[in-house]
Amino acid sequence: MYAVHRLRGMGLSLHAIEQGGDVGGTWYWNRYPGARCDVMSIDYSYSFSNEIMQEWTWSEVFATQPEILAYANWVADRLDLRRSYSFDTCATVIAYDDEREIWSVGTDTGTVYEVKYLVMATGPLSMPKALDTPGSERFGGLLLQAQTWPHEPVDFAGKRVGLIGTGSSGIQIAPVVAAQCGHLTVFQRTPSFTLPARNQPLDPEFIAQIKAHYPHLREMAKNTFTGGIRPVSTRPFFSIPAEERRKLMDQAWEEGALRFLGLFSDLLFDAEANECVAEYVRGKIAEIVEDPATAELLTPRGYPIFARRPCLDTNYYETFNRPNVALSDCIGDPIEEITPDGIRTRTRHIELDIIIAANGYDALTGAMLAINVTGRNGARLSEHWRNGPRSHLGLMMPGFPNLFMVAGANGPSALANFILLNEQNVDWIVRCIEHLRGRGLSAMEPTPESEDRWMAQVQALAEPSLYPRANTWYTGSNIEGKPRGIPLLSRRAPPLPGGMRSRDRGFPRLRVRELNPIAAACRFKHGACLV
């Protein structure tokens, strides 16, 4: 949405295609019960317009899906964005014409767009992982997927519900459905560390203070790695006496997850410190969950806390104290098949009326690899990413001229406040296009050497961390056959040596070509830029 606003403001002839039926991205699709952002509302909103910041008022610390979707629709209306979109449209084939120096984008509607500049804003968490459990097509009840939830309400009253998956979506779903249904069975493979969100309404006086200082706060947020203003400490865990550490953790647990996440600076780099905090959270699980056997099954072991995406919850562990909730351990008793009337595990059959699949995404690369993308000289994206995603800055790739990625895999991506990260990425793309047009240049792409240097830095920053010690979508471990690695920029990167300053305005070393007269004379369907 921000890309459409900025690029259209440059005077470019622009069009956007969107698979959903309206704006909102992940919040258009993820309508499941309990869906809520785990970034504070005051951060998870646009910063480019002070008028928008002043006019919109959030109701809670962590906004719900309906409120975030309402915000997206309000911004789209206010900026008149929909006139630049074709909704219910999906790109299927994308190819670069070397001679004409344009991109051809084929869609599932049959429309083909030819454009000079192509912006891929496909998102890191937008390709749902297929439910690959045998027999799912035979289930006679209602089978729902969290990531493509129906738009109409689902009636759980009196129903026997099975929930597959206990990542962030499953953790949000379970408490809400448990309070509505007859019985809930949660099928868990790997237990997640989750922290109490302690969500609450925003006080009007606090909202007034935020709005009075919004420009300053957003500018401060841009200078943090996460793009947010939640508390972040510089103190290492073992720099504080044990008794004080315990008091700090107790206080943060009561105040909420964001305080807890920012307590210590080295939890993803010091394994012993990490284990101490993990053991604290394990103790909290044992305190909350009344049945010791259930508490033990819910207790994560064998991987560092926060090396998997940290979850924020509202009464998740408390949900397993309800008499209508049961936990099924898919490690000790794995699911074998979905039957016409339920789920069969190795040892038993559980009759169900509704099955909810909260089994995650083909993250970071899935959405782009679902499209057949061919670049310069027939370079295929699938081959370029055969051993994992590679790019320069998470924004461009050699061999794919004028193809820009918003929040690509090799940047901070899902580790950062996505709204602010998107704005920063779009602003960079706008500067690139201004650079090209202002100097009569036809195309740009990073050199392979620039990409190599960036990827070496991404790897060097990730290797000392504890991220590689967990099997998670961060590493691609949730998709069978996917290359394993840490394709995310896991912390702030120092300046790259050499090649990071161009002759003009601080751009990385790039290949640029003079304007091709054939391309300059070409007529483009729906304009020079496609998002």
Side-chain angles (χ1 to χ4, degrees), residues 238-506:
F238 287 112
S239 69
I240 304 169
E243 185 177 345
E244 185 178 346
R245 292 197 302 261
R246 177 76 192 199
K247 288 180 181 178
L248 286 169
M249 288 190 286
D250 285 342
Q251 182 181 3
W253 184 270
E254 293 305 317
E255 292 183 356
L258 291 187
R259 280 296 300 269
F260 200 93
L261 288 168
L263 272 183
F264 307 108
S265 62
D266 57 347
L267 295 186
L268 280 167
F269 300 93
D270 187 318
E272 187 177 352
N274 185 285
E275 178 59 20
C276 290
V277 174
E279 192 59 27
Y280 175 89
V281 176
R282 293 181 190 121
K284 287 295 184 182
I285 298 170
E287 289 177 14
I288 296 168
V289 181
E290 295 167 359
D291 176 59
T294 302
E296 179 57 32
L297 289 175
L298 288 166
T299 300
R301 302 189 190 279
Y303 67 89
I305 189 171
F306 307 145
R308 290 163 60 95
R309 181 177 177 86
C311 301
L312 278 62
D313 73 85
T314 301
N315 298 325
Y316 176 68
Y317 293 122
E318 291 85 349
T319 296
F320 292 92
N321 295 331
R322 296 178 61 100
N324 70 328
V325 176
L327 180 65
S328 182
D329 173 27
C330 295
I331 299 295
D333 190 19
I335 295 174
E336 292 194 339
E337 64 173 341
I338 295 176
T339 68
D341 56 353
I343 290 178
R344 187 181 306 283
T345 70
R346 182 181 292 168
T347 65
R348 58 186 176 142
H349 181 264
I350 301 168
E351 293 187 350
L352 300 168
D353 304 303
I354 300 174
I355 295 175
I356 301 172
N359 54 324
Y361 293 90
D362 184 353
L364 303 174
T365 61
M368 282 189 62
L369 287 176
I371 308 168
N372 181 10
V373 181
T374 306
R376 185 170 48 80
N377 296 328
R380 304 187 71 84
L381 178 63
S382 57
E383 180 61 23
H384 191 68
W385 284 1
R386 180 167 53 90
N387 296 317
R390 295 179 55 80
S391 68
H392 181 64
L393 305 176
L395 290 163
M396 296 191 80
M397 298 173 290
F400 298 85
N402 291 358
L403 187 153
F404 302 96
M405 297 178 289
V406 176
N410 308 127
S413 193
L415 297 179
N417 172 11
F418 211 61
I419 301 294
L420 210 59
L421 175 64
N422 287 350
E423 286 188 22
Q424 187 258 12
N425 284 185
V426 168
D427 289 341
W428 189 89
I429 292 166
V430 166
R431 287 179 60 205
C432 288
I433 295 176
E434 287 175 340
H435 179 82
L436 291 171
R437 298 176 78 211
R439 287 160 178 77
L441 301 171
S442 178
M444 64 183 284
E445 61 183 281
T447 64
E449 294 77 18
S450 291
E451 182 181 75
D452 289 344
R453 284 197 301 272
W454 179 251
M455 293 309 301
Q457 189 166 103
V458 169
Q459 186 68 20
L461 291 170
E463 281 178 349
S465 77
L466 301 180
Y467 283 117
R469 300 192 187 185
N471 292 322
T472 173
W473 59 262
Y474 285 171
T475 64
S477 305
N478 66 323
I479 303 293
E480 186 176 353
K482 192 169 185 176
R484 198 177 190 284
I486 301 288
L488 294 163
L489 183 65
S490 55
R491 50 195 171 123
R492 188 184 295 273
L496 282 171
M500 286 303 292
R501 293 277 188 265
S502 78
R503 294 180 297 274
D504 298 303
R505 291 172 52 193

Side-chain angles (χ1 to χ4, degrees), residues 47 50 65 68 75 119 208 224 249 272 296 310 398 411 438 471 514-515:
S47 70
N50 190 48
Q65 177 271 335
I68 299 172
V75 172
V119 179
T224 69
M249 288 190 286
E272 187 177 352
E296 179 57 32
N471 292 322
E514 296 303 320
L515 189 65

Side-chain angles (χ1 to χ4, degrees), residues 50-229:
N50 190 48
E51 289 77 15
I52 286 176
M53 288 191 287
Q54 297 301 324
E55 291 172 21
W56 180 267
T57 300
W58 294 102
S59 67
E60 296 179 288
V61 175
F62 301 106
T64 61
Q65 177 271 335
E67 187 172 15
I68 299 172
L69 185 59
Y71 174 73
N73 279 281
W74 175 78
V75 172
D77 289 339
R78 197 184 185 288
L79 300 178
D80 190 22
L81 298 181
R82 288 186 182 84
R83 64 182 170 87
S84 295
Y85 276 91
S86 288
F87 295 107
D88 298 308
T89 303
C90 187
T92 55
V93 179
I94 297 176
Y96 187 68
D97 186 318
D98 294 67
E99 183 179 355
R100 298 166 64 205
E101 295 186 336
I102 61 172
W103 286 97
S104 172
V105 180
T107 67
D108 58 357
T109 65
T111 303
V112 177
Y113 300 90
E114 291 187 337
V115 294
K116 187 71 176 171
Y117 311 109
L118 178 61
V119 179
M120 301 292 287
T122 51
L125 292 170
S126 54
M127 178 58 64
K129 179 185 174 184
L131 180 63
D132 54 4
T133 306
S136 59
E137 73 285 351
R138 295 185 289 131
F139 183 58
L142 183 61
L143 180 60
L144 302 169
Q145 187 153 16
Q147 296 82 6
T148 53
W149 198 264
H151 289 202
E152 63 276 4
V154 177
D155 182 11
F156 294 104
K159 301 294 174 58
R160 299 164 299 178
V161 181
L163 170 63
I164 302 174
T166 54
S168 58
S169 297
I171 285 170
Q172 290 183 332
I173 291 169
V176 179
V177 172
Q180 299 176 15
C181 71
H183 190 274
L184 173 67
T185 302
V186 178
F187 294 86
Q188 171 193 270
R189 185 177 59 184
T190 303
S192 296
F193 284 103
T194 178
L195 307 172
R198 311 293 189 209
N199 188 44
Q200 57 187 330
L202 286 170
D203 179 74
E205 184 177 346
F206 176 64
I207 292 173
Q209 291 175 351
I210 288 292
K211 290 190 175 186
H213 300 281
Y214 235 147
H216 169 70
L217 293 172
R218 301 315 290 269
E219 199 59 38
M220 294 292 290
K222 290 177 182 178
N223 289 296
T224 69
F225 176 74
T226 60
I229 52 177

